[in-house]
Amino acid sequence: MRTLLAIAVLLGCSTVSRSAETEAIDFRRDIEPIFARHCVRCHGADKQQSGLRLDDRQNLLRGGDFGEPTIVPGDSAASFLISAVSGENVDLRMPPEGDLLSKQQVDKLKAWIDQGAKMPTASFQAAVNPARELWSLRPLRPVRPPRFDDAWIANPIDAFVVEKLQAKGLSPSPPCNTATLARRVHLVMHGLPPSREQLARWEAASSLSGKDESLIEGVLQSPHYGERWAQHWLDVIRWGETAGFETNAPRPNAWPYRDWVIDSLNADKPFDRFVFEQIAGDTVGQDAALGFLVAGPANLPGQIGRDEESMRQARQDELDEVIRTVGQAFLGLTIGCARCHSHKFDPITQRDYYALQAMFAGLSYGERRLRGPENDRWTAQTPQAARRVAELTEELEAARESLGLREPLADVQSESFEPLEAKAVRMTIEATGDGNQASLYEFEIWTTPDDGRATNVALAELGGRATASSFALENQTRHPDNLNDGTVDRRQAYPWKAAKAGPAWIQVDLARPALVDRVVWHRGASTPADYEIAVQLPDDSWRLVADTRDRQPRLDDVRKAADVKLTASPAETERLASLIARLRSAQREHTRLAAGPQVFAARFEAPEATWLLRRGDPMQRTDQLAPAIPAALGDLELTLETADSDRRLALARFLGGPDNPLTARVIVNRIWQHHFGTGLVDTPSDFGRMGSRPTHPELLDWLAVELIQNGWSLKHIHRLILTSNTFRQASTPRDDALRVDADSRLLWRFPPRRLDAEALRDSILLASGKLRDQRGGAGFDFFNQRGGLSDYVPKETFDESGWRRMIYAHRVRMQTIDVFGSFDCPDAGQMTPSRNRSITPIQALNLLNSRFVNRQAAFFAERVREEADSENVEEQVRRAMLIAFTRPPSAEELQLLSALAREHGLEQVCRALLNANEFVFLQ
């Protein structure tokens, strides 16, 4: 802070001899000498303490680490600099020591700012609107494809590619063969190689006319398309089915979002609608889509400290996950970098960050009703379930009255008795309703009213001292001191809990004897079921004042009838317990039906206030902000009073609207990336200054405009790419081209690459004949558990439920999947817009030696024997090669593999094929 405040020291050295209010201020004459002499050493080109650079107008407009523009040209009253040097802001007083600037000096600065804060720099115009410097923020304009008289050009994509190649003295590669193309198309679009029948159709089309548009259409219409491309989207938003962080608790109802993504892609839902529903799906009955907003990790309420600072910090962390997801997934901007200070590189201020946060100020993580056909069925069944509950409730009430029992215990239970002079009160808990440890939040002892007022004399602050038979040593304190601290807000306190299940007691000794007539206890982690309460009198004798022998058990009491202690007979107790169990089951079913199917997705309430936070500190609130998009992108004209749904509706419409140049650019780049291995921009979630510039900017914009003009159809873009000759080139390397473009970014060939984990595992299952085509629903498990702190033991073998496509695996955050995790499969801990493609010895060892792969190799051999319909080894090898590589073996391959089969068995041939580069790589 002192480095920022030091500005005032240099300003103080300036003398004012003219009237600041009437004379024009010249920067070089009046301001620059001051900056040069006193400021640029700490706030210049070589060093920018607190993120502030005074010799750069763009930095002055954006501001330093405090998140506010240092100057607002034309408005000195709104300028951070004036607030500091005038002494208005005590915490940011400049200079930090010594006298403040004189009134004449401050007026001089005000005049300079009010006159536009002009700085005669070469980049002045760019500094006026720094967003103009960022290529990705320039408006989309129709681009005319280059014109070439070249038969190789099948569509405009090829024209753009040829233009770049010719500029570098390169030419395209010849087309690949039909089998390679078929395998390439199916692996890219489905994550699976083509079947024998599909390959035959490709070969037939090639031999007849060379046209395969109908085959491409069939690929696009297959449900495997959505299963494949949904995984790419889930990587971008790091979707997982556990909460992450310390507890990593499971989210059992997160999977409907995954299915929604798959279904939306298969239906070719317009991408602007795809975006809209993920931001405001609740307004159009698309509840599963809202899983997008809560896809990332988040602490559970029990992990959050009970103090105000911890709760505010946790809330900020939750919303930060949302901002980062929206910013990177749709806009390709790292807006989250502006949480603590204005973005260091992109035109996003800290004010922009919190204004965007205000869009989601009503959001919370949790489960919501999943509307749809299943919900309608449950709703129709609810009245009958309610009638069943009413009937059993009436029957149970009649039984209670006939047995002369009092009503069940409440969560906050009051036990009244005749006034007694008490020294202490003890509660002996024999059992809890769920069989767990005895637990209470608070224990109160109330005096008889004195002048109409009663006092809780158990309070520690009044001298009450709580003890217990034991207490649990767990993650949070369970000490008996919690029993009488006066805190009953569960967000601010922890309960007492006994060390183990079974009988336990608590006691509160009073500071002095008091006349009491009531005890109140608040249930903790469990509810007392059988207990006695006794009062210690002044003569040290104890008197029983309350017990539970004449109370009907609660509905959540799951003990066996034989363990319930009542004044009723055993037979009567058995009947009562049976009634309670039936009513409990009926209520559970009614609650389930009434709540409807659930999905882990964003929930919404009235938006809370959003504040600009100094340095991102939730305890340092400054200005309250209205919802807005980053100023560099426009203005939605929302206010503090705008309702939650209206905020998100405005944002959703902007994201897919004509004034936003980013959404279309970002998604067509992602599509290109998964066709060719690398996007036209190889930083697919960062289109800012620290990201890469596009290799083919005109092609990127042409694709973006083409997407919009064709109803935001993603399949239209796929169709264009798949039918281009650029995509159909051979992948064979050429020495001349490698010297110019070793990474094939200019696309002089199809860039080969290793299959990712999902495509590799699914292809192995397809080859073995064990791939189970079961779509949707809760996923299968890779581990022995779905969440929590215990060690995760990976499964080595699977039954049929685990032979589904890998997209349907239950995704445990922060856990690497056995065998295929080494193939750079992300763990949903971070957003992964593009995966690494490493090649390591661990990958080869896993494929060669793992129980999973060897078992599938054995299944593969069984399949080959059945389909070859022959004992001839050569015929079996041919069949295996067609399945694995979509081509027959060469004479040499046939000889070598047949010899291997005779000596070591067909299983080893299949094992070798599953480990071969031709199987593992996309050519």
Side-chain angles (χ1 to χ4, degrees):
M1 180 168 64
R2 289 180 178 274
T3 55
L4 264 178
L5 304 184
I7 300 170
V9 175
L10 64 93
L11 291 173
C13 296
S14 175
T15 58
V16 181
S17 59
R18 295 173 297 278
S19 170
E21 297 182 358
T22 57
E23 291 193 28
I25 303 297
D26 181 82
F27 176 81
R28 292 200 182 280
R29 181 189 65 207
D30 302 318
I31 305 299
E32 188 175 49
I34 303 172
F35 285 175
R37 180 179 178 185
H38 299 282
C39 295
V40 294
R41 181 176 59 183
C42 295
H43 303 288
D46 297 327
K47 186 176 182 182
Q48 298 93 43
Q49 290 189 8
S50 299
L52 181 61
R53 181 174 176 178
L54 295 181
D55 66 337
D56 179 69
R57 192 170 191 270
Q58 181 174 316
N59 182 280
L60 288 170
L61 294 172
R62 187 175 65 239
D65 290 351
F66 283 87
E68 300 180 40
T70 305
I71 59 171
V72 180
D75 190 355
S76 60
S79 296
F80 176 81
L81 178 63
I82 298 303
S83 173
V85 300
S86 65
E88 297 172 8
N89 192 325
V90 178
D91 294 333
L92 295 173
R93 177 181 180 273
M94 297 197 299
E97 299 175 355
D99 297 333
L100 292 171
L101 298 183
S102 68
K103 181 178 183 302
Q104 291 79 9
Q105 292 169 326
V106 173
D107 287 345
K108 192 81 167 179
L109 287 171
K110 287 181 178 179
W112 174 60
I113 294 172
D114 288 336
Q115 292 173 20
K118 297 177 182 178
M119 296 175 68
T121 63
S123 61
F124 176 77
Q125 290 301 322
V128 171
N129 183 3
R132 293 179 185 173
E133 289 188 2
L134 196 56
W135 68 268
S136 58
L137 296 185
R138 295 169 187 156
L140 278 172
R141 297 281 188 268
V143 180
R144 185 185 298 275
R147 292 180 176 272
F148 292 97
D149 186 14
D150 190 335
W152 186 82
I153 296 173
N155 65 34
I157 289 175
D158 298 332
F160 286 109
V161 170
V162 165
E163 182 181 46
K164 286 289 184 181
L165 289 175
Q166 290 186 352
K168 294 292 185 179
L170 298 175
S171 61
S173 292
C176 62
N177 61 52
T178 301
T180 299
L181 177 61
R183 181 176 173 84
R184 181 185 298 171
V185 169
H186 281 262
L187 282 170
V188 166
M189 299 306 297
H190 294 171
L192 295 169
S195 67
R196 181 179 58 180
E197 295 75 18
Q198 289 168 330
L199 179 59
R201 288 196 289 272
W202 280 88
E203 296 284 4
S206 175
S207 63
L208 290 174
S209 64
K211 294 186 177 182
D212 47 37
E213 286 86 350
S214 63
L215 293 173
I216 295 295
E217 206 58 40
V219 167
L220 290 172
Q221 297 307 317
S222 168
H224 292 319
Y225 158 68
E227 292 174 325
R228 173 59 175 159
W229 283 77
Q231 186 60 64
H232 300 322
W233 183 251
L234 300 182
D235 281 358
V236 170
I237 66 171
R238 47 81 178 87
W239 177 82
E241 293 179 85
T242 61
F245 297 122
E246 293 180 359
T247 60
N248 208 22
R251 294 173 175 173
N253 292 322
W255 60 264
Y257 172 75
R258 173 249 290 152
D259 285 0
W260 176 87
V261 175
I262 293 172
D263 293 343
S264 295
L265 293 176
N266 277 331
D268 198 22
K269 182 174 290 182
F271 189 72
D272 59 341
R273 184 67 177 186
F274 182 77
V275 173
F276 179 93
E277 291 179 3
Q278 293 180 86
I279 301 294
D282 54 312
T283 66
V284 290
Q286 293 293 324
D287 303 287
L290 297 170
F292 165 82
L293 292 173
V294 293
N299 276 313
L300 300 175
Q303 296 174 265
I304 301 168
R306 295 331 201 235
D307 58 287
E308 184 69 19
E309 183 173 0
S310 295
M311 289 190 286
R312 286 192 190 182
Q313 184 66 51
R315 178 60 174 162
Q316 285 300 312
D317 292 343
E318 284 183 348
L319 293 175
D320 182 66
E321 290 290 341
V322 178
I323 299 305
R324 291 175 184 273
T325 303
V326 172
Q328 293 186 46
F330 295 139
L331 299 173
L333 293 177
T334 55
I335 297 175
C337 293
R339 178 177 178 177
C340 301
H341 51 73
S342 293
H343 203 293
K344 296 293 186 182
F345 308 104
D346 298 340
I348 302 168
T349 67
Q350 193 185 22
R351 184 174 291 268
D352 288 333
Y353 172 91
Y354 287 102
L356 185 59
Q357 186 187 98
M359 292 284 189
F360 304 101
L363 176 148
S364 62
Y365 287 59
E367 295 195 342
R368 63 179 296 123
R369 194 179 191 115
L370 180 61
R371 289 169 286 180
E374 186 175 12
N375 176 68
D376 296 341
R377 288 192 295 272
W378 290 21
T379 301
Q381 298 171 34
T382 302
Q384 182 179 354
R387 287 192 294 271
R388 178 61 176 160
V389 169
E391 292 168 359
L392 287 171
T393 300
E394 185 177 349
E395 187 176 351
L396 180 60
E397 179 63 14
R400 183 186 71 80
E401 292 179 353
S402 69
L403 295 173
L405 299 177
R406 290 188 291 166
E407 292 183 348
L409 298 166
D411 287 345
V412 179
Q413 180 64 39
S414 178
E415 296 280 14
S416 299
F417 45 87
E418 291 296 323
L420 293 172
E421 191 79 13
K423 292 176 60 178
V425 177
R426 172 179 286 212
M427 182 177 184
T428 302
I429 302 171
E430 293 295 329
T432 60
D434 57 9
N436 291 323
Q437 299 129 288
S439 178
L440 296 175
Y441 252 97
E442 190 75 4
F443 191 79
E444 304 167 357
I445 305 170
W446 291 90
T447 62
T448 56
D450 183 12
D451 296 329
R453 300 177 62 185
T455 302
N456 175 18
V457 291
L459 288 171
E461 65 185 41
L462 298 181
R465 184 172 66 88
T467 55
S469 54
S470 66
F471 59 91
L473 293 173
E474 298 181 1
N475 187 38
Q476 304 292 349
T477 177
R478 311 294 181 187
H479 198 272
D481 285 354
N482 295 0
L483 284 166
N484 63 336
D485 59 8
T487 304
V488 295
D489 183 348
R490 292 177 181 244
R491 299 173 304 169
Q492 302 286 344
Y494 296 99
W496 161 76
K497 185 188 290 186
K500 60 182 180 179
W505 58 263
I506 61 104
Q507 180 172 320
V508 176
D509 292 280
L510 306 182
R512 62 189 61 84
L515 189 64
V516 301
D517 64 359
R518 183 164 52 101
V519 166
V520 177
W521 55 261
H522 301 246
R523 73 178 297 268
S526 61
T527 305
D530 287 340
Y531 65 76
E532 293 181 345
I533 298 176
V535 173
Q536 186 181 32
L537 304 176
D539 62 1
D540 292 335
S541 63
W542 290 88
R543 182 175 299 179
L544 182 68
V545 296
D547 63 40
T548 52
R549 295 179 67 85
D550 62 346
R551 279 198 184 276
Q552 175 187 300
R554 289 164 52 106
L555 284 182
D556 58 4
D557 192 326
V558 296
R559 294 174 297 163
K560 296 178 180 178
D563 297 327
V564 178
K565 298 177 181 179
L566 290 178
T567 55
S569 69
E572 292 170 331
T573 302
E574 179 72 42
R575 177 173 174 268
L576 189 69
S578 175
L579 265 174
I580 290 172
R582 286 156 57 198
L583 178 55
R584 180 171 60 245
S585 177
Q587 281 197 342
R588 186 183 300 119
E589 177 66 4
H590 176 258
T591 299
R592 183 183 74 87
L593 294 172
Q598 298 291 297
V599 57
F600 184 85
R603 301 180 301 184
F604 304 101
E605 298 176 349
E608 60 192 20
T610 300
W611 304 87
L612 177 65
L613 304 180
R614 181 165 294 141
R615 294 184 178 269
D617 183 351
M619 302 306 289
Q620 295 193 57
R621 293 173 171 175
T622 57
D623 300 335
Q624 186 175 351
L625 299 181
I629 57 175
L633 299 178
D635 184 1
L636 301 184
E637 299 182 353
L638 305 178
T639 69
L640 293 172
E641 288 72 34
T642 304
D644 168 80
S645 59
D646 291 335
R647 298 179 184 202
R648 290 180 292 109
L649 284 168
L651 175 62
R653 289 166 181 152
F654 162 76
L655 290 171
D659 296 329
N660 173 20
L662 287 167
T663 300
R665 281 187 176 121
V666 169
I667 189 57
V668 296
N669 185 67
R670 295 195 197 281
I671 293 174
W672 190 272
Q673 168 192 339
H674 295 298
H675 280 276
F676 293 99
T678 306
L680 298 169
V681 179
D682 63 9
T683 53
S685 286
D686 187 358
F687 277 35
R689 287 192 181 88
M690 296 305 290
S692 301
R693 294 182 72 91
T695 55
H696 299 71
E698 295 83 7
L699 173 56
L700 179 67
D701 277 14
W702 182 84
L703 288 168
V705 172
E706 186 76 8
L707 174 71
I708 296 171
Q709 291 181 346
N710 285 272
W712 290 84
S713 168
L714 299 186
K715 286 187 178 180
H716 175 72
I717 303 300
H718 287 302
R719 198 175 289 112
L720 286 169
I721 295 175
L722 293 173
T723 57
S724 71
N725 282 323
T726 301
F727 181 80
R728 295 170 176 234
Q729 295 177 94
S731 60
T732 309
R734 301 186 343 236
D735 290 341
D736 62 326
L738 287 171
R739 285 192 291 269
V740 177
D741 180 26
D743 294 331
S744 305
R745 293 296 306 282
L746 299 179
L747 298 168
W748 51 268
R749 65 165 176 163
F750 180 84
R753 61 185 184 271
R754 176 180 54 73
L755 295 179
D756 61 28
E758 290 85 355
L760 182 55
R761 184 180 189 272
D762 294 349
S763 295
I764 290 173
L765 287 169
L766 184 66
S768 72
K770 295 300 181 182
L771 183 63
R772 188 179 177 197
D773 193 16
Q774 177 188 347
R775 303 189 186 107
F780 67 92
D781 294 318
F782 270 119
F783 302 98
N784 65 321
Q785 63 185 59
R786 291 193 157 215
L789 297 172
S790 303
D791 291 337
Y792 288 83
V793 178
K795 292 186 176 182
E796 294 185 355
T797 60
F798 298 83
D799 57 19
E800 289 187 5
S801 66
W803 291 339
R804 301 173 66 189
R805 296 203 65 174
M806 196 165 160
I807 183 75
Y808 296 117
H810 183 85
R811 184 56 60 93
V812 177
R813 214 179 293 274
M814 305 186 300
Q815 292 296 324
T816 301
I817 296 171
D818 191 45
V819 180
F820 298 96
S822 63
F823 289 89
D824 305 305
C825 185
D827 64 2
Q830 299 292 331
M831 286 181 270
T832 312
S834 59
R835 297 188 185 185
N836 294 328
R837 285 196 292 272
S838 64
I839 300 176
T840 69
I842 296 297
Q843 295 168 352
L845 291 170
N846 280 348
L847 279 187
L848 190 64
N849 299 316
S850 71
R851 290 183 64 185
F852 173 81
V853 175
N854 277 277
R855 190 176 181 216
Q856 295 304 318
F859 291 142
F860 187 5
E862 289 178 13
R863 174 190 174 186
V864 168
R865 291 189 185 99
E866 292 175 2
E867 293 187 4
D869 195 24
S870 171
E871 295 298 325
N872 184 285
V873 172
E874 284 79 8
E875 183 61 29
Q876 291 175 350
V877 168
R878 288 190 185 93
R879 171 61 58 199
M881 283 281 288
L882 280 171
I883 293 172
F885 297 165
T886 61
R887 68 170 178 83
S890 66
E892 182 181 8
E893 289 169 335
L894 181 61
Q895 179 184 1
L896 290 172
L897 291 175
S898 297
L900 177 62
R902 291 189 180 95
E903 185 174 356
H904 297 287
L906 185 60
E907 288 80 5
Q908 296 308 313
V909 172
C910 293
R911 182 186 184 195
L913 294 179
L914 297 181
N915 278 268
N917 280 353
E918 192 168 348
F919 186 84
V920 175
F921 277 76
L922 174 66
Q923 300 291 339

